[in-house]
Amino acid sequence: MDRALVVLLAPHTEADVIRYSEIIAPLRALDSSIERTAEVLESMSILVDDRRPSYKDWLEKRLDGLAAGIRREAEGWNRTLRGGGPRTRPRDQATVWAYLNAVRPALLEWSERYDHLREVIRDDVLAHVKTLHGHERRQTLVALRSLFGWAKKNGIVFRDPTARIKAGTFEYSVLQPLQPQQVTRSVEAVRSPAARLALALAASHAARAGAIRALQLDDVDLGNRRLTIAGRTRPMDDLTHQMLLFWLDYRRRRRPNTANPHLLINQMTALETGPVSGWWIKHELHGQDATLERLRVDRQLEEALVHGPEPLHLAEVFGLDEKTAIRYADSARALLEQAAEVGPVGDISRAARVLYLIEGLNNRSGPLLAAPL
């Protein structure tokens, strides 16, 4: 970093600025981090980020092939989704991508006959969605409603052709509990203390991967055995307490001088203050049936099976919204009805699977942490 700053700042005067595009070549020649150097220059208020946003290239590619008028209208709608507008909040980037990808086949089809969105009628929308089924049909209708709703609001169309076209309800299948052997294979797959802690948090507290990544050291209260996940404070069970002690000991010995406030860190994030990546926290469970997400779902399903399929209880314990809590309760009720026909409810209880998890983690904790660092 020092060498990189010397090279970049040697010819620099007080009134000069440094453009992002100018630092790429010299830093690559020095094999120095472009991102880290840019952070330093930005903190000095002398960096000008002149990079072309990737969103522009993506948008141009997705709008290619549309009629000029339809292209202009679709671009205006998508930019409003991304950046917001009067009485319109910005949407998540994933939603911006998904909506345009969903309506693109319809827009390409209509571009062969029309020049503007105002020429599209209800029969055109019905003819297109008739070729779709299930989730794809519903996603396309939701995106088309967003597009034509924006167009009507801005005076581009006189009438919304998607009005009163029902998207239909999505029928969810019954959630199934994990089997003991699936949990055992995942326990055997994880090797690092961080992965084992993430496994315990998902299995015991139904924590999402994003919430685990966002955990900070201040969220852990070992003395009172309390843990705050996604803003909700809950008691800390023995398994989580043990895994936290193992991880904190490993973290302290491995990287004692890091200033990163997050609970989970790695070689890269120890040098900064951000969270670990989503890929890093999941990669040791790649290819397993009992992933972090499946373990989270299984924990919530187990709560409904053991304490009864009561949506209010699930919403209170895990902070679920109404529809999600009802879905878990419905799945638990269906499983309990099946168990009444084929065997006792205990056969599908998660207690045995938790024992597998605890036993597997405990048996392998000592040798791994005792290994040379």
Side-chain angles (χ1 to χ4, degrees):
M1 178 64 70
D2 288 338
R3 291 197 306 271
L5 292 174
V6 168
V7 169
L8 295 175
L9 297 178
H12 182 266
T13 61
E14 185 176 356
D16 289 343
V17 295
I18 298 178
R19 301 186 182 278
Y20 200 105
S21 58
E22 298 173 350
I23 71 175
I24 296 176
L27 291 184
R28 283 179 178 171
L30 292 171
D31 195 23
S32 183
S33 171
I34 298 175
E35 181 181 358
R36 303 273 185 264
T37 308
E39 290 177 0
V40 175
L41 296 176
E42 187 174 8
S43 68
M44 298 169 63
S45 301
I46 61 174
L47 181 68
V48 176
D49 193 346
D50 59 346
R51 292 174 294 175
R52 177 181 173 86
S54 60
Y55 170 74
K56 291 185 178 180
D57 295 329
W58 173 84
L59 185 60
E60 288 184 2
K61 182 178 180 180
R62 302 310 293 167
L63 296 176
D64 186 39
L66 302 183
I70 294 179
R71 177 192 176 103
R72 181 175 59 254
E73 294 150 3
E75 180 178 356
W77 162 68
N78 197 257
R79 289 187 180 277
T80 301
L81 283 179
R82 183 173 184 265
R87 300 182 182 179
T88 304
R89 60 180 178 83
R91 306 300 293 271
D92 183 78
Q93 185 64 54
T95 302
V96 176
W97 292 339
Y99 274 24
L100 185 54
N101 289 333
V103 303
R104 187 172 186 270
L107 298 181
L108 287 172
E109 177 186 339
W110 297 334
S111 293
E112 297 176 359
R113 306 192 302 271
Y114 307 133
D115 295 322
H116 301 279
L117 283 180
R118 60 177 173 268
E119 300 177 72
V120 178
I121 61 176
R122 179 184 175 87
D123 289 343
D124 295 321
V125 177
L126 289 173
H128 180 75
V129 299
K130 192 177 293 185
T131 63
L132 308 175
H133 303 281
H135 178 73
E136 185 182 8
R137 179 182 186 275
R138 191 173 188 278
Q139 176 74 5
T140 300
L141 267 177
V142 169
L144 285 173
R145 284 178 178 174
S146 174
L147 170 60
F148 283 103
W150 170 87
K152 185 176 180 181
K153 178 181 177 181
N154 288 274
I156 295 173
V157 300
F158 302 108
R159 183 179 299 175
D160 184 354
T162 64
R164 298 182 301 280
I165 299 179
K166 294 183 179 180
T169 58
F170 186 78
E171 297 293 336
Y172 291 101
S173 59
V174 176
L175 296 170
Q176 298 295 323
L178 289 169
Q179 299 302 314
Q181 59 271 22
Q182 294 176 314
V183 179
T184 303
R185 285 196 295 268
S186 291
V187 171
E188 294 171 350
V190 294
R191 301 298 303 170
S192 66
R196 288 184 292 172
L197 174 58
L199 194 70
L201 291 172
S204 298
H205 299 276
R208 294 181 180 274
I212 296 174
R213 293 170 53 216
L215 277 173
Q216 302 206 357
L217 294 171
D218 291 341
D219 295 326
V220 179
D221 186 353
L222 292 174
N224 295 316
R225 298 190 67 148
R226 308 286 291 179
L227 181 65
T228 302
I229 303 177
R232 298 177 65 86
T233 302
R234 59 190 71 202
M236 190 185 303
D237 58 283
D238 291 337
L239 172 63
T240 305
H241 185 260
Q242 182 181 4
M243 293 301 100
L244 277 169
L245 289 176
F246 285 153
W247 163 250
L248 290 173
D249 180 61
Y250 179 88
R251 184 187 195 271
R252 181 171 54 253
R253 289 188 288 141
R254 183 73 173 180
R255 297 180 178 89
N257 298 320
T258 179
N260 195 318
H262 288 83
L263 177 64
L264 295 182
I265 59 173
N266 57 23
Q267 181 178 357
M268 296 297 295
T269 61
L271 303 176
E272 54 187 37
T273 58
V276 296
S277 68
W279 172 88
W280 184 84
I281 201 172
K282 301 175 183 178
H283 76 279
E284 290 193 34
L285 290 174
H286 179 71
Q288 299 296 323
D289 294 324
T291 61
L292 292 182
E293 178 62 17
R294 285 291 307 277
L295 286 167
R296 181 189 72 83
V297 171
D298 192 63
R299 172 65 184 92
Q300 294 172 160
L301 182 60
E302 180 267 345
E303 186 76 17
L305 290 171
V306 173
H307 296 279
E310 177 53 52
L312 290 178
H313 173 74
L314 295 173
E316 177 63 25
V317 172
F318 300 111
L320 303 177
D321 60 50
E322 177 184 343
K323 291 183 178 180
T324 304
I326 291 175
R327 183 191 176 195
Y328 279 102
D330 289 343
S331 294
R333 191 174 296 109
L335 290 171
L336 290 171
E337 292 173 357
Q338 294 174 11
E341 298 175 0
V342 301
V345 175
D347 289 346
I348 58 174
S349 173
R350 185 176 170 275
R353 297 196 292 280
V354 174
L355 290 177
Y356 272 109
L357 180 63
I358 295 175
E359 182 181 2
L361 291 171
N362 287 346
N363 288 343
R364 289 169 45 210
S365 295
L368 179 60
L369 291 180
L373 300 179

